[in-house]
Amino acid sequence: MRLLFVYYCRKIMKQLFLFCLMLLGLSSNAQNIVRSFKGRVVDSTTMAPLPDVSICIYRASDTSLINFGFTTPLGNFSLNTKSPDSLLVVVSLLNYEDFNYKEKAEDGWSFKNFGDIKLAKMPYLFRAVSVKTAAIRLKGDTIEINASKFKVLPGSDVAQLFKKIPGFEVNVKGEIKVGGADVSKIMVDGSDFFGNNPGMVSKNLTADMIETVQVFDERNEDGSPKDNVTKVINLKLKKGKRNGIFGDLLGGYGSNNRYEAGARLNGFKNDRKMSFVMNSNNINSTGFDFGFNNWHNADYYERNGTFGENGISYYNSISGDGNINRESNAGMTFFNEFSKKRKLSFNTMISQNDYTSIYSDNTIYGISDSIQRSNLDSTNIKGVSKSANLEINYTKQIDSTGAFEIGTVGGLKLSNRNSSSFNDIKLNNNFINRGNTEKKYTTNNSTFRVNALYRRYLRKDKRYYFSVYGSYNFQLNDGFNHQFTQNSFDTFNNRNNYNYQTNEVLTKVFGKLPVYKKSISFNLSADRWLQQNKTLQLVENANNQFNKEFEQDYNSKVDSLSIEFENQLEQYTVKPYFSFEKKGMYATLGATFMQMNIHTLNTATGKGLDIPYQKLLPQLSFSYYPENKAYVYINLSRLTNFPTASELQPVINITNTYERQTGNESLNPQINNNISFYVNMYALKGFRYLYNSFRLSQSDNAKVMASRQNEDGVIIKTPTNASGYLRVTNWFSTSKKLTKKFYANISLDFENTKNPNIINNIISSGRYGDYNVSPSFSYSKSDSLELNFGLRYSYTKFTNTLNDRLNYNQNILAYNASIRALLPFGMEINSNIDISDSRNVPGIGKIVPVWSAYLQQPLGKKSNYSIKLSAYDILKQNTNISRTATENFINISQNNQLQRYFMVSLIYKIKKVGGEDDFDYVY
């Protein structure tokens, strides 16, 4: 019966997939071009072609902008519109007189070729007013939009203004796209005060405050485009509109003693901004955030050519949250910009979280082709985490060609966690051991980081560039672990005191020198990284091994489990590469020369290691980004991951009573060969977007943990190198407009991984494949209604060459539906349901539906108040059961989740922005 069900499921999915592809291939009559305009723009005197001339098509009746574009470097343009109304075509360029053409209304197809449009230069006395006629113009790589050219209702917010601008998309959630690309942040007067929450700015600033809207691409320091194409919007405010305060107050209480409370206030006056947030809830909500990214100076730079971590680690870090959280936090931030040349900001946050987690695991290990071991674990965790953080940043713009930035971050974190677990071990279903474990963890963590960046262009045309970056990072982790384990054959009662200190210094220089005109440059990046670690881990036995009271005295040192280390890692890299840049294209070719020196001394035994490594890592990348059409990125590179001190030294640790880890001094650095490909087409006829991302990573000496089981049933793991690692991933997504407001969407993604395994000196491999198809349909009506329907079919296959009893195939169907509507009288309705059908998954075999909804109604004349009725997990089915496979084991995990509650919340919105203009602008 199950096989028959799987057969029909696959058949239905196949038919549905073909149906979606057919839909995506349809061409709707609504998509046909109604009218087309073509021509070339030249200087009337020299007849030379004029690039970057703005071509705007307006509706003649109300002068609202319908579409726009810019001429190519040869002065050509081609622009289309589907509007049947009478039109006004305006061709404009700064310092030139406009060209205007009016065309009467047309119901059918029409084509107009202007030929050469000759623009005459404007007399010098009138050039200052030439900006008043152009709604949109191009300044370098920035599109500048005159906000006064777009008619919105009085009191409209910036989101309503965006909806009037061609190429802008704003959905009900407040997410913004420009030309199909996501908007990563919205700046205000060049300040990233509201950085990581564009929706907050678009919903809280009013359209009448905006003078111009600027749009440009995010770029890296060397001028190359970001891997993931994102846009940045800068809003230039009118004078007299540069002040205000907005925010939210929230309080709610519900069934099962669920509650939420929060406050968020954001205020700005000219170039000074301040924000305050406070949250407390037990519904696993993050609550309010600042709504911006305070870090305006140098980010933490990565080292050349490496992936992974190379530091020392002998303990399990303590998570600060669980499946059920009761969290409270409060924070404040301040930002000030002085004379557009100096920026100062700080933010601070304190938080506390009381959490619990209950979970069970059933893990099956493939020891050999005839033996498999199963571990059944049940664990109950309770903990509390407290933290405090402070961040200060300062930037100084020295002149038009140089700047200096410095930032510092400090933090404290205190964590306590108690766990109680039960463990049952079997070999081929034969019981071999059973135990109970009580653990108590306490850790105090301190961090401090300071980093600085100096950058300068040596000429005003910005062709010669260099930067110097430095950072210092300090970490201190001090605490203890108590562990009491009583099993069928023995009892452990240990106390593990530890102290870890890390000092890390990174220095990096970068320079760019033009070689041929402005298109080819020579770039040089070099860095030096130094990390010094001191590690003390002292393990002691209790006086009474059978008394699990952790307060008793501990008197004898367990030598094999105690460690004292001094560790130093030093890395030098030089990365020369050539870059080629032309309009719409960027490419690099180079290599990273690297040396890593690892010095380790076990002060307890006197044994030390001094190992140097040298590597040469080539790299090639290519980007193509024609304006407002697409973005293509290809990268071929080689990266390395050096051994860590804990992997090299032969040290036994106590992270798991039934598992030990030893070192391998002969371990070599892992080398990965990587290929990545990304394409984003956002001007494809009839489609909203088309994305595809492909990544391949391969290694002939991957670091793996070789496993063996001793006579006591304890698994000993040793890091070693093995060939055969391969990982391929691909993600594809597209959306086609079927009608004006109805879309068909589909995404396909897969992962194929081959991991080498070494078990009891037998070399094997595990192959993992995961394939997903997600068709969906959506309906969107501006800012009033959004409907989404979709499903996801997931097929997973795992093959272990050593033990075929670990092999399995499984498929999961997931359905989702959501609706969000804003009714004419202001009520917001939001409901979503997710259904996971895991009946064909061994060890799970059930359907889990999770349905949540809320209603929110504004109150009062100004709608400052709102009442919100929320219902979470209405069907009381929320649970988490998962089945995963990796290396030589399969794991089925189940844990507790937040379940059904109903809540009533009261929300108060504070919004007071703008003021009287100092003087009127004429556009």
Side-chain angles (χ1 to χ4, degrees), residues 812-853:
I812 298 175
L813 278 169
Y815 309 88
N816 63 83
S818 66
I819 179 173
R820 182 173 181 182
L822 299 177
L823 303 182
F825 50 90
M827 176 178 285
E828 178 185 351
I829 301 174
N830 191 313
S831 178
N832 63 82
I833 183 168
D834 295 283
I835 302 173
S836 178
D837 185 351
S838 300
R839 287 176 293 179
N840 294 321
V841 180
I844 299 180
K846 63 185 299 185
I847 297 178
V848 178
V850 179
W851 178 27
S852 301

Side-chain angles (χ1 to χ4, degrees), residues 123-360:
Y124 181 80
L125 292 176
F126 297 97
R127 291 182 181 180
V129 298
S130 65
V131 295
K132 70 180 181 180
T133 59
I136 298 176
R137 59 177 177 152
L138 195 63
K139 295 175 64 176
D141 293 331
T142 301
I143 298 175
E144 189 169 276
I145 301 161
N146 188 337
S148 67
K149 290 293 183 179
F150 300 92
K151 304 292 191 277
V152 294
L153 295 175
S156 296
D157 55 32
V158 172
Q160 298 301 320
L161 172 64
F162 288 165
K163 292 175 183 178
K164 297 288 186 177
I165 303 175
F168 278 63
E169 292 180 57
V170 183
N171 64 17
V172 178
K173 300 176 183 177
E175 298 168 338
I176 304 167
K177 290 180 181 289
V178 176
D182 293 327
V183 172
S184 61
K185 65 180 176 180
I186 296 181
M187 300 193 299
V188 178
D189 284 332
S191 161
D192 59 358
F193 175 70
F194 303 99
N196 64 352
N197 195 334
M200 174 179 285
V201 184
S202 65
K203 290 292 187 181
N204 285 282
L205 296 184
T206 55
D208 62 357
M209 300 173 63
I210 310 303
E211 179 182 342
T212 56
V213 179
Q214 296 176 328
V215 182
F216 53 91
D217 293 327
E218 278 197 297
R219 289 182 174 268
N220 298 311
E221 184 184 16
D222 61 2
S224 61
K226 295 278 189 180
D227 288 357
N228 53 333
V229 177
T230 52
K231 299 284 187 179
V232 176
I233 294 177
N234 179 46
L235 301 176
K236 294 183 67 175
L237 302 180
K238 300 175 183 177
K239 280 202 171 184
K241 298 291 187 180
R242 296 175 179 172
N243 63 87
I245 183 171
F246 57 89
D248 313 80
L249 301 176
L250 167 68
Y253 188 78
S255 59
N256 300 324
N257 294 320
R258 298 296 170 193
Y259 66 88
E260 63 174 344
R264 175 178 57 185
L265 298 174
N266 294 288
F268 65 101
K269 185 174 183 180
N270 296 323
D271 296 319
R272 185 175 69 248
K273 294 94 178 177
M274 184 174 290
S275 184
F276 171 79
V277 295
M278 182 172 64
N279 301 285
S280 182
N281 68 79
N282 62 356
I283 56 173
N284 291 357
S285 172
T286 56
F288 293 129
D289 65 359
F290 285 127
F292 60 88
N293 185 355
N294 188 52
W295 188 263
H296 67 259
N297 76 314
D299 291 326
Y300 187 74
Y301 281 33
E302 295 182 352
R303 310 196 308 275
N304 290 329
T306 60
F307 71 95
E309 295 296 330
N310 304 117
I312 190 169
S313 178
Y314 294 101
Y315 66 99
N316 290 335
S317 60
I318 299 176
S319 173
D321 56 12
N323 295 329
I324 309 295
N325 299 280
R326 188 177 64 192
E327 186 171 9
S328 300
N329 61 60
M332 185 182 70
T333 191
F334 171 84
F335 179 96
N336 202 0
E337 188 171 357
F338 307 91
S339 304
K340 303 297 181 182
K341 290 187 176 181
R342 291 177 294 149
K343 299 178 184 179
L344 174 67
S345 67
F346 76 85
N347 67 344
T348 182
M349 177 73 75
I350 58 173
S351 63
Q352 176 174 313
N353 184 29
D354 293 292
Y355 61 90
T356 60
S357 293
I358 302 173
Y359 63 88
S360 62

Side-chain angles (χ1 to χ4, degrees), residues 15 134 168 196 203 261 286 376 384 447 455 460 511 525 595 602 612 623 699 714 735 753 764 770 786 807 826 831 833:
Q15 295 297 325
F168 278 63
N196 64 352
K203 290 292 187 181
T286 56
L376 180 63
V384 60
T447 61
R455 61 175 184 265
K460 289 187 177 180
S525 175
Q595 173 156 332
N602 188 333
S623 302
S699 178
V714 176
S735 176
T753 303
S764 63
D770 184 58
E786 278 194 356
N807 301 344
S831 178
I833 183 168

Side-chain angles (χ1 to χ4, degrees), residues 364-366 659 703-707 715 717 753-759 764-768 798-803 806-807 884-891:
I364 303 172
Y365 295 85
E659 189 175 286
K703 292 194 296 186
V704 300
M705 301 301 294
S707 302
I715 294 178
K717 290 191 172 185
T753 303
K754 179 184 177 184
N755 285 306
N757 298 324
I758 302 176
I759 305 171
S764 63
S765 64
R767 293 179 178 269
Y768 173 80
F798 179 76
T799 303
N800 186 288
T801 59
L802 179 64
N803 188 349
L806 294 179
N807 301 344
T884 57
T886 181
E887 294 181 355
N888 64 313
F889 64 86
I890 293 174
N891 177 264

Side-chain angles (χ1 to χ4, degrees), residues 482-501:
H482 284 165
Q483 176 177 305
F484 175 83
T485 299
Q486 189 170 21
N487 57 45
S488 303
F489 306 105
D490 202 353
T491 300
F492 301 94
N493 196 351
N494 297 321
R495 179 175 62 191
N496 174 22
N497 296 329
Y498 57 85
N499 181 277
Y500 310 114
Q501 295 183 37

Side-chain angles (χ1 to χ4, degrees), residues 780-902:
S780 177
K781 184 180 179 182
S782 183
D783 201 20
S784 60
L785 178 63
E786 278 194 356
L787 294 170
N788 295 281
F789 307 92
L791 64 86
R792 182 178 181 87
Y793 174 76
S794 300
Y795 173 73
T796 304
K797 181 178 181 180
F798 179 76
T799 303
N800 186 288
T801 59
L802 179 64
N803 188 349
D804 58 9
R805 287 191 291 179
L806 294 179
N807 301 344
Y808 75 93
N809 300 327
Q810 68 181 35
N811 57 81
I812 298 175
L813 278 169
Y815 309 88
N816 63 83
S818 66
I819 179 173
R820 182 173 181 182
L822 299 177
L823 303 182
F825 50 90
M827 176 178 285
E828 178 185 351
I829 301 174
N830 191 313
S831 178
N832 63 82
I833 183 168
D834 295 283
I835 302 173
S836 178
D837 185 351
S838 300
R839 287 176 293 179
N840 294 321
V841 180
I844 299 180
K846 63 185 299 185
I847 297 178
V848 178
V850 179
W851 178 27
S852 301
Y854 71 79
L855 300 175
Q856 184 168 321
Q857 174 63 50
L859 305 173
K861 293 183 179 180
K862 296 183 178 181
S863 299
N864 289 342
Y865 291 92
S866 296
I867 187 169
K868 182 178 180 181
L869 306 177
S870 304
Y872 179 78
D873 186 23
I874 298 171
L875 304 176
K876 201 175 183 180
Q877 295 290 315
N878 191 24
T879 185
N880 182 28
I881 307 177
S882 62
R883 178 185 173 99
T884 57
T886 181
E887 294 181 355
N888 64 313
F889 64 86
I890 293 174
N891 177 264
I892 300 175
S893 178
Q894 180 172 353
N895 54 61
N896 64 323
Q897 296 289 301
L898 185 68
Q899 287 196 322
R900 183 170 62 193
Y901 68 83
F902 302 93

